[in-house]
Amino acid sequence: MSSSISALQALLAQPKQIVITTHHKPDADALGSSLAWAGYLKQQGHHVTVVTPSDYPAFLNWMEGNDEVVVYDKRQNDRQVRDLIARAEVICCLDFSCLGRINELGEYIRQASATKVLVDHHQEPEDFADITFSVPTAAATAELIFEIIRDLGHQDLITKGMGEALYAGIMTDTGSFRHPSTSRNVHLIIAELLKVNIDLSSVHRRIYDSHSEIRLRFLGFVLKDKLVVNREFNTAYIAITQDELRQYQSKTGDTEGLVNYALSIEGILFAAVFIDRGVAVKISFRSVGSFSVSDFSRKHFDGGGHHNASGGISYLPLDATVDRFLSILPEYKEQLTGVPAAVAPPVA
Ligand code: 5GP
Ligand code: MN
């Protein structure tokens, strides 16, 4: 048993006040791993609250425990959430690697006296937790939560509801079992989850086939009018203005997955989606193969993530952000095309 598991076991030996939190705009892995972990800890007699730093897409609302999630809102419940965090004996941080990713909650947690536990699979974790499970090779945080529960000797406590939340996290973070992170271990875990009769088709439908009509029309508009393919650098990108988001009544989650369409074009190795959120431009990057979008976003857009999936931010206007992005591409010509960048002639 690893030393982190022993430390966790000792920490959880008596009932505790526990807060679980996850990253801004939680996705299925963030919420699924948090709710499954909460389900386990509650069965162990702990008092558990899941707090998210922002709202999340409605297509995740079905998960067991969703109704008890506290969604942080600076204007609505700042005091309540601050108190929760200050009173917690244990704070579990799931599916993010640095406190800067969770807005105001990051500082509250940094200052909290609780024992902090980090469970995550992003690259370059910040060193803020007392007990750290950081496995960048893992496909999903949900995979790690399964393993932690199993290694604590309690796989039998995983219910169908917890199993479906974990399945949702693994399914989405592996791109429905197609990314290279989809290891043998991932499939073995799914086989274990099937023992509690998780309903694979139903989870898939609830997540991928629950669009509103206007969301599908938004997708049509984006693919027809907004997708730009740059063959010079095997790159495709999409930039969406605030007006366009308003026109299609965009809700949290509606822009999720757009970047994968850009990457699905034959020969495209690098895809980006720029969304004008008003306060900033939020960016998603994806790649296939050896080009590291994690390094790219860390270096140029104050971001990070995984080798083939990352995100970043820009405080320039949308057009200027895209111009800046295009001006950086020549630096990566060799990685993106195999052709070395032109060398400037020596200065005489
Ligand atoms: P997405 O494009 O789906 O929002 O994010 C892709 C991956 O990059 C996710 O694992 C996400 O946690 C990470 N990510 C997204 N935005 C940021 C960011 O601004 N900073 C960092 N460090 N990671 C990000
Ligand atoms: Mn994840």
Side-chain angles (χ1 to χ4, degrees), residues 29 95 121 173:
D29 188 35
D95 202 38
H121 68 134
D173 265 28

mmCIF file with all atom_site columns, all heavy atoms in Angstrom, residues 29 95 121 173, ligand 2:
data_model
loop_
_atom_site.group_PDB
_atom_site.id
_atom_site.type_symbol
_atom_site.label_atom_id
_atom_site.label_alt_id
_atom_site.label_comp_id
_atom_site.label_asym_id
_atom_site.label_entity_id
_atom_site.label_seq_id
_atom_site.pdbx_PDB_ins_code
_atom_site.Cartn_x
_atom_site.Cartn_y
_atom_site.Cartn_z
_atom_site.occupancy
_atom_site.B_iso_or_equiv
_atom_site.pdbx_formal_charge
_atom_site.auth_seq_id
_atom_site.auth_comp_id
_atom_site.auth_asym_id
_atom_site.auth_atom_id
_atom_site.pdbx_PDB_model_num
ATOM   1  N  N   . ASP A 1 29  ? -15.752 14.565 -15.396 1.00 0.00 ? 29  ASP A N   1
ATOM   2  C  CA  . ASP A 1 29  ? -14.732 13.946 -14.534 1.00 0.00 ? 29  ASP A CA  1
ATOM   3  C  C   . ASP A 1 29  ? -14.657 14.688 -13.202 1.00 0.00 ? 29  ASP A C   1
ATOM   4  O  O   . ASP A 1 29  ? -14.597 14.067 -12.138 1.00 0.00 ? 29  ASP A O   1
ATOM   5  C  CB  . ASP A 1 29  ? -13.372 13.964 -15.243 1.00 0.00 ? 29  ASP A CB  1
ATOM   6  C  CG  . ASP A 1 29  ? -12.325 13.169 -14.478 1.00 0.00 ? 29  ASP A CG  1
ATOM   7  O  OD1 . ASP A 1 29  ? -12.697 12.145 -13.865 1.00 0.00 ? 29  ASP A OD1 1
ATOM   8  O  OD2 . ASP A 1 29  ? -11.140 13.546 -14.503 1.00 0.00 ? 29  ASP A OD2 1
ATOM   9  N  N   . ASP A 1 95  ? -9.295  16.813 -9.436  1.00 0.00 ? 95  ASP A N   1
ATOM   10 C  CA  . ASP A 1 95  ? -9.267  17.120 -10.868 1.00 0.00 ? 95  ASP A CA  1
ATOM   11 C  C   . ASP A 1 95  ? -8.765  18.530 -11.204 1.00 0.00 ? 95  ASP A C   1
ATOM   12 O  O   . ASP A 1 95  ? -9.169  19.103 -12.203 1.00 0.00 ? 95  ASP A O   1
ATOM   13 C  CB  . ASP A 1 95  ? -10.643 16.860 -11.511 1.00 0.00 ? 95  ASP A CB  1
ATOM   14 C  CG  . ASP A 1 95  ? -10.533 16.646 -13.023 1.00 0.00 ? 95  ASP A CG  1
ATOM   15 O  OD1 . ASP A 1 95  ? -9.572  16.015 -13.463 1.00 0.00 ? 95  ASP A OD1 1
ATOM   16 O  OD2 . ASP A 1 95  ? -11.422 17.130 -13.757 1.00 0.00 ? 95  ASP A OD2 1
ATOM   17 N  N   . HIS A 1 121 ? -4.940  14.367 -12.182 1.00 0.00 ? 121 HIS A N   1
ATOM   18 C  CA  . HIS A 1 121 ? -4.149  13.778 -13.261 1.00 0.00 ? 121 HIS A CA  1
ATOM   19 C  C   . HIS A 1 121 ? -3.616  14.828 -14.243 1.00 0.00 ? 121 HIS A C   1
ATOM   20 O  O   . HIS A 1 121 ? -3.280  14.487 -15.380 1.00 0.00 ? 121 HIS A O   1
ATOM   21 C  CB  . HIS A 1 121 ? -4.968  12.698 -13.997 1.00 0.00 ? 121 HIS A CB  1
ATOM   22 C  CG  . HIS A 1 121 ? -6.130  13.234 -14.771 1.00 0.00 ? 121 HIS A CG  1
ATOM   23 N  ND1 . HIS A 1 121 ? -6.408  12.831 -16.062 1.00 0.00 ? 121 HIS A ND1 1
ATOM   24 C  CD2 . HIS A 1 121 ? -7.089  14.134 -14.451 1.00 0.00 ? 121 HIS A CD2 1
ATOM   25 C  CE1 . HIS A 1 121 ? -7.489  13.464 -16.494 1.00 0.00 ? 121 HIS A CE1 1
ATOM   26 N  NE2 . HIS A 1 121 ? -7.921  14.252 -15.534 1.00 0.00 ? 121 HIS A NE2 1
ATOM   27 N  N   . ASP A 1 173 ? -13.331 11.952 -20.244 1.00 0.00 ? 173 ASP A N   1
ATOM   28 C  CA  . ASP A 1 173 ? -11.920 12.342 -20.286 1.00 0.00 ? 173 ASP A CA  1
ATOM   29 C  C   . ASP A 1 173 ? -11.104 11.491 -21.257 1.00 0.00 ? 173 ASP A C   1
ATOM   30 O  O   . ASP A 1 173 ? -10.018 11.896 -21.670 1.00 0.00 ? 173 ASP A O   1
ATOM   31 C  CB  . ASP A 1 173 ? -11.285 12.298 -18.881 1.00 0.00 ? 173 ASP A CB  1
ATOM   32 C  CG  . ASP A 1 173 ? -11.323 13.668 -18.216 1.00 0.00 ? 173 ASP A CG  1
ATOM   33 O  OD1 . ASP A 1 173 ? -12.234 14.460 -18.537 1.00 0.00 ? 173 ASP A OD1 1
ATOM   34 O  OD2 . ASP A 1 173 ? -10.443 13.963 -17.378 1.00 0.00 ? 173 ASP A OD2 1
HETATM 35 MN MN  . MN  B 2 .   ? -10.090 15.123 -15.564 1.00 0.00 ? 2   MN  B MN  1
#
